[in-house]
Amino acid sequence: MTPLGLIVNPVAGLGGTVGLKGSDGAQVQRLARERGAVPRAGTRAALAVAELAARCPDAEILTVAGDMGADAAGPRGRVVCERPETTGPADTRRAVDALVAAGAGLIMFAGGDGTARDVLDALGGRVPAIGIPAGVKMHSAVHAVNPRAAGEVAAAFLAGTAHVAPAEVADREGDAIVLYGLMPVPRLGERVQRGKVGSARTGGDDLAGIAAELAAHAVPGGLDVYGPGTTTHGVLRVLGVDTPPTGVTAVSGGRCLVADADAAALEGLAAGRPGVRVIVSPIGGQGFLFGRGNQQITPALLRGATVTVVCGEAKLAALGGRPLLVDTGDDALDASLTGYLPIVTGRGRRVMYKLGEP
Amino acid sequence: MSAHAPSGPVDPADAKVAPKPALRRYHAARWDESLIFEQSTPGQRGVLPPALDAGIAESVGDATASLPPALRRQKPPALPELGQQAVLRHYLRLSQENLGADLNIDVGQGTCTMKYSPKVNDQLIRSHKLARLHPGQHDDTTQGVLEILWRMEKMLAEISGMDRVTLQPGAGSAAIWTNVAMIRAYHASRGESHRDQVITTIFSHPSNAACAKTAGYEVITLYPDADGYPDLEALKAAVSDRTAALLITNPEDTGIFNPRIKEFVDVVHSVGGLACYDQANANGILGITRARDAGFDLCHFNLHKTFSTPHACGGPAAGACGVTGALAPFLPSPTVEFDGERYFLDHDRPESIGKVRPYTGVAPNIVRAYSWIMSLGAEGLREVAEIAVLNNNYLLTEMLKIPGVSAPYAKGKRRIEQVRYSWEELAGETGVHSEDIGLRAADYGVHYWTSHHPYLVPEPATLEPTESYSKADLDEYVAIMRAVAEEARTDPETVRTAPHRSSVHRNREAALDDPNVWAVTWRAYRRKVLDAS
Ligand SMILES: Cc1ncc(COP(=O)(O)O)c(C=O)c1O
């Protein structure tokens, strides 16, 4: 069985318990400790390990010494990397490299968005990873719902019963939440419901259906502007367009005009078109439609466009009823994007969903 | 009292606590039974029909000649060949491996209304008066059953407040489909076929969305508001001149009754749409409120739920659609009519949507439901609803005493006939999921169901006790839930790998999700599984 690599960011989550907005940077961490914060990433990682061990007794865990993994891994952990003096981003990246070099086929990391970014930088998609939620900021979609669930997902991956799909790593930069990249993350297939109607591919995001719905309503010669994210990226791939998921893609007649377009390029392409559609999906766990991670889509572009929001039903349900958020920077435009929006969830299927103020 | 009970004076505080019901030492039968096709031995026979009398054979001639050539088989069907005893044994074994409705405390299949189906009604079905009837007989020779159909229509019209009722659909989903087909025909008859959207809610049964989609409508789904009620503002934003209808359940699958239902109907009417009430959840509101009173144009009942007939695995069950006079011309054909002297079938219905099932529906189930209603009367029906609601709220109170379970939405309010619970807290604490709890419940001999997808309520479980179960039954069910929740904490491995005492261990669930693997017929099994290996 492929070994798993465990890494704990020992300072993750430190800021949260004492009212700080994050734990990135030595200064914030010092402040947090002064305010009496206690590290919690280690205990959360230990829960994930316990769950993994219960489900997959043969699992082999490669890890980093001390509070960066070995403490949480317990007796089944094999240290393949010394604990660095400091625990900054570069240290995390180096440690992840060491775990992969030692043969880890999956990285389980305890931390928040900052840690996820460091892991993504180090891995660059070489092996998949799963996050143990332990940070303050968790805008990314790479963390399991709770620590035990991370252990469960890891066990399923090692047993070969999970499939790997890209998930968003997002982080806050100043006031903005920015999509940083896509990380391959193992997923447990939605459990098939029992006892009722035989289910056929229930719960999954119906990307092909969404693509067909968009095609059915396309204006000939019109411009389609796809925002960043896993759903839009997935729809584009169904259409045969494979562009960077973190950027904005402009498409017309099924052909990609520009990948990773900037505001000027988009506004230029839109000019004089018979119709412009801006197609976005809620970003990260916060459910932002505009103003976070897609500022290339400017108020000027939006004013002359129709907005189509696409989202799979399972992802929408996971928002737990929280309204979707809009912050374009233009008050009049924001005001026009309030109330309810019909969200495309499949072919001929929409959900009326509430828009709110950030 | 058990031998281990402590002697001495009983603390009055303890005396109030009911004794914990003992858990059953249940084990299902396991026969490892092969498919009946695999048991076939060429030449074996169950029945040898006698040859025709010469006279009959002569006067009938070649009977197959009356069939259109395209419908005639070229080869005899490849049926399994077995003796009678082998067939009987096969099906008995299968029935023993089944946790059937008459066998378990079937409160765990929420939304299904698993009530007792009185066996006395089966005697009516077996009587030669019904069993020997052929639905193709002339009306003059079927007056009795036509009278039952006619009276049944009148009773369901009274229960729903509607003007006319059809009994033709063979299940709830078939009834919803029938309603959608009538909605389509209604708008077409008024030159309003541009109405191409149907609105429903996420907690209404998904058959509503599915039937609308099948009929070619675009489906708009409303999410609940923060309290779990359908969101009226969302409905207002969704309606337009494209709205054909609202299809809605009330109470929804959460067991929460929407007290503003009339406002929903009014909003849809204000744009020219129709309002269609899925009354398959009617068990807690019989005799208390009616579809017509809230202004609905159409509704449907599942006779196999609310009116006690067997569920029959999605058909032949029995659905009934009720409509207002404005929609009556579109009812399936034929209708059953009475001219003051005789009952007859009316096939002359130019605007009818046609047939949704042969003849007049699933007669045995209609007769069972008729008998059930007749045995209860109007007050009895209301009492059914009252006991169903009482049972449900007792179950709710007891369930919420189990650490780790909650009932999201409508906090502090009572529920109607079912509750959608959440084990989110227990799952977070133990890693044991609602599905695991359900499989472990099978080890104690009871059913359990989660919820439709998508899971809006995390780690869901839906329980519906109906009026059929006693307090002792409900206590036993709660004791099982409590025991499994305790096991999740002390021995999660056992729960996660359940069932251990059931007929089969685990199904290959992924196969159920893959059309390339699943096989629901012998032919498909041969092609996809046997030939492939
Ligand atoms: C509210 C509701 N509507 C419709 C149906 C569909 O009925 P059937 O299973 O008979 O097709 C059900 C079945 O559970 C239901 O609960």
Side-chain angles (χ1 to χ4, degrees):
Chain A
M1 190 181 288
T2 344
L4 167 135
L6 172 74
I7 179 163
V8 176
N9 174 0
V11 296
L14 210 52
T17 50
V18 290
L20 299 174
K21 288 227 170 64
S23 317
D24 296 343
Q27 224 173 334
V28 173
Q29 288 159 19
R30 196 174 334 107
L31 188 62
R33 285 192 206 278
E34 275 168 23
R35 291 196 191 172
V38 266
R40 56 175 202 149
T43 28
R44 293 173 78 80
L47 277 178
V49 169
E51 190 67 27
L52 168 67
R55 289 175 183 269
C56 190
D58 302 333
E60 190 188 342
I61 303 178
L62 310 176
T63 190
V64 190
D67 60 358
M68 274 185 77
D71 296 352
R76 62 176 61 232
R78 185 155 67 81
V79 173
V80 295
C81 172
E82 283 316 305
R83 186 194 191 284
E85 288 282 295
T86 55
T87 64
D91 306 301
T92 305
R93 288 197 291 269
R94 263 194 300 278
V96 170
D97 276 337
L99 294 175
V100 175
L106 172 72
I107 299 297
M108 183 159 80
F109 64 92
D113 287 333
T115 317
R117 286 172 59 157
D118 298 337
V119 171
L120 177 63
D121 286 343
L123 287 178
R126 274 182 297 167
V127 297
I130 176 74
I132 303 165
V136 180
K137 300 168 296 169
M138 274 181 290
H139 304 293
S140 306
V142 297
H143 297 95
V145 288
N146 57 46
R148 285 195 178 275
E152 178 181 358
V153 170
F157 176 81
L158 297 183
T161 57
H163 72 276
V164 175
E168 294 162 10
V169 175
D171 200 0
R172 185 177 280 276
E173 281 184 2
D175 265 352
I177 287 158
V178 176
L179 185 60
Y180 193 71
L182 293 193
M183 178 186 269
V185 173
R187 301 238 173 251
L188 284 181
E190 268 247 339
R191 290 170 201 86
V192 179
Q193 64 185 42
R194 298 183 173 88
K196 273 267 180 165
V197 283
S199 70
R201 308 217 168 262
T202 37
D205 290 356
D206 184 5
L207 295 176
I210 293 172
E213 182 67 12
L214 291 173
H217 295 278
V219 180
L223 181 75
D224 285 344
V225 176
Y226 284 85
T230 44
T231 312
T232 40
H233 184 235
V235 170
L236 281 170
R237 283 172 61 140
V238 172
L239 300 176
V241 176
D242 198 354
T243 48
T246 48
V248 175
T249 303
V251 175
S252 184
R255 234 165 31 85
C256 172
L257 301 183
V258 195
D260 223 343
D262 61 17
L266 292 172
E267 284 171 28
L269 281 171
R273 292 270 172 180
V276 179
R277 288 194 297 185
V278 172
I279 298 156
V280 289
S281 67
I283 294 188
Q286 304 295 66
F288 264 101
L289 289 181
F290 294 112
R292 299 289 186 273
N294 57 9
Q295 281 90 340
Q296 305 92 314
I297 301 173
T298 55
L301 180 70
L302 282 170
R303 264 182 239 117
T306 57
V307 172
T308 305
V309 180
V310 297
C311 188
E313 285 192 27
K315 186 171 174 185
L316 207 54
L319 282 172
R322 275 171 296 134
L324 296 174
L325 305 174
V326 170
D327 180 16
T328 62
D330 175 324
D331 286 348
L333 192 59
D334 286 359
S336 75
L337 289 168
T338 52
Y340 293 82
L341 207 63
I343 293 180
V344 175
T345 56
R347 179 75 179 108
R349 295 209 324 258
R350 276 150 219 264
V351 166
M352 290 307 284
Y353 207 88
K354 201 169 186 162
L355 295 181
E357 277 152 36
Chain B
M1 258 198 200
S2 86
H4 305 290
S7 52
V10 177
D11 183 330
D14 287 346
K16 272 187 243 134
V17 181
K20 259 195 199 172
L23 292 179
R24 248 169 243 283
R25 292 162 51 110
Y26 167 80
H27 202 302
R30 188 178 295 178
W31 283 104
D32 198 16
E33 182 73 356
S34 57
L35 298 176
I36 196 160
F37 282 93
E38 293 169 312
Q39 298 179 20
S40 175
T41 308
Q44 288 205 358
R45 285 289 175 275
V47 196
L48 286 174
L52 278 185
D53 287 349
I56 296 178
E58 228 162 79
S59 70
V60 171
D62 181 5
T64 45
S66 62
L67 290 175
L71 293 182
R72 286 182 223 156
R73 280 190 172 278
Q74 304 305 313
K75 291 186 292 189
L79 295 175
E81 299 176 63
L82 283 85
Q84 287 191 15
Q85 193 195 21
V87 173
L88 179 64
R89 198 168 53 212
H90 175 69
Y91 287 107
L92 265 180
R93 286 176 176 173
L94 292 187
S95 76
Q96 288 190 348
E97 291 191 324
N98 201 344
L99 207 47
D102 286 335
L103 206 57
N104 87 108
I105 301 173
D106 214 355
V107 312
Q109 292 201 74
T111 87
C112 283
T113 317
M114 302 305 293
K115 65 171 63 179
Y116 176 60
S117 184
K119 300 309 160 216
V120 63
N121 295 338
D122 289 356
Q123 288 180 15
L124 299 172
I125 306 314
R126 266 184 251 119
S127 142
H128 69 277
K129 293 183 191 169
L130 190 68
R132 291 285 169 86
L133 279 188
H134 189 281
Q137 274 172 238
H138 193 273
D139 297 352
D140 287 346
T141 65
T142 57
Q143 287 294 301
V145 73
L146 289 181
E147 180 178 350
I148 291 180
L149 296 178
W150 189 84
R151 286 175 173 272
M152 183 66 171
E153 175 176 345
K154 289 282 167 292
M155 293 195 301
L156 290 174
E158 182 63 31
I159 292 168
S160 61
M162 292 299 178
D163 296 324
R164 291 295 311 252
V165 173
T166 178
L167 302 167
Q168 210 178 84
S173 307
I176 298 173
W177 160 262
T178 305
N179 277 339
V180 172
M182 287 192 279
I183 289 164
R184 199 171 46 180
Y186 170 86
H187 289 308
S189 76
R190 298 156 53 94
E192 298 209 348
S193 290
H194 63 274
R195 295 185 180 271
D196 63 347
Q197 294 178 334
V198 161
I199 302 169
T200 186
T201 71
I202 191 82
F203 284 136
S204 286
H205 194 276
S207 288
N208 291 284
C211 290
K213 186 82 193 295
T214 309
Y217 284 106
E218 182 177 301
V219 177
I220 301 179
T221 303
L222 311 181
Y223 267 40
D225 67 16
D227 294 322
Y229 296 103
D231 189 341
L232 186 59
E233 297 310 314
L235 176 72
K236 288 180 183 161
V239 293
S240 70
D241 65 352
R242 291 177 62 189
T243 305
L246 169 73
L247 308 188
I248 194 166
T249 315
N250 193 30
E252 296 192 289
D253 284 355
T254 49
I256 298 172
F257 188 87
N258 174 7
R260 300 173 71 182
I261 191 68
K262 181 140 196 335
E263 288 174 67
F264 279 70
V265 172
D266 292 345
V267 167
V268 175
H269 281 167
S270 73
V271 297
L274 295 171
C276 179
Y277 193 163
D278 173 351
Q279 292 217 268
N281 287 354
N283 205 44
I285 57 172
L286 287 176
I288 293 167
T289 177
R290 308 192 306 171
R292 187 64 169 277
D293 301 339
F296 281 94
D297 307 287
L298 310 92
C299 71
H300 98 271
F301 292 110
N302 284 10
L303 301 188
H304 52 289
K305 291 173 58 175
T306 317
F307 299 98
S308 91
T309 84
H311 282 235
C313 291
C321 303
V323 297
T324 58
L327 282 133
F330 308 102
L331 282 168
S333 184
T335 51
V336 183
E337 308 289 345
F338 181 54
D339 63 10
E341 276 180 24
R342 66 185 282 284
Y343 301 91
F344 63 95
L345 295 176
D346 180 6
H347 293 273
D348 183 19
R349 306 181 51 78
E351 291 193 277
S352 164
I353 58 164
K355 281 190 173 300
V356 293
R357 200 176 169 89
Y359 304 108
T360 46
V362 185
N365 278 339
I366 297 168
V367 172
R368 283 189 185 97
Y370 177 77
S371 168
W372 189 80
I373 296 174
M374 291 298 285
S375 68
L376 285 160
E379 321 81 65
L381 287 185
R382 189 183 167 109
E383 201 178 340
V384 161
E386 287 169 354
I387 297 175
V389 174
L390 185 65
N391 268 357
N392 184 45
N393 286 284
Y394 174 71
L395 190 68
L396 172 64
T397 310
E398 293 302 303
M399 279 294 293
L400 291 183
K401 291 179 187 165
I402 302 175
V405 75
S406 65
Y409 303 124
K411 285 272 171 277
K413 293 249 168 61
R414 295 201 199 288
R415 304 295 170 107
I416 307 293
E417 86 305 6
Q418 62 184 317
V419 176
R420 180 149 298 159
Y421 299 90
S422 172
W423 290 104
E424 188 177 20
E425 191 189 321
L426 186 79
E429 191 188 324
T430 64
V432 166
H433 296 290
S434 178
E435 285 89 348
D436 303 324
I437 295 174
L439 290 175
R440 184 61 176 154
D443 281 340
Y444 294 101
V446 295
H447 266 154
Y448 173 102
W449 182 63
T450 52
S451 132
H452 302 110
H453 285 90
Y455 284 179
L456 220 55
V457 169
E459 303 292 345
T462 315
L463 309 184
E464 179 184 12
T466 77
E467 73 284 6
S468 295
Y469 293 98
S470 68
K471 177 171 176 298
D473 291 336
L474 301 184
D475 287 342
E476 181 175 342
Y477 198 92
V478 173
I480 292 169
M481 291 294 112
R482 179 182 293 278
V484 175
E486 267 165 30
E487 283 178 336
R489 294 194 170 86
T490 54
D491 182 11
E493 192 56 21
T494 295
V495 184
R496 239 180 249 137
T497 51
H500 307 284
R501 303 194 292 256
S502 198
S503 311
V504 288
H505 184 50
R506 290 217 165 181
N507 291 317
R508 275 166 51 214
E509 302 250 321
L512 293 178
D513 231 9
D514 186 351
N516 296 317
V517 180
W518 76 47
V520 291
T521 62
W522 168 245
R523 215 186 301 182
Y525 179 68
R526 233 174 19 193
R527 178 165 42 84
K528 294 180 186 174
V529 181
L530 298 184
D531 292 353
S533 63

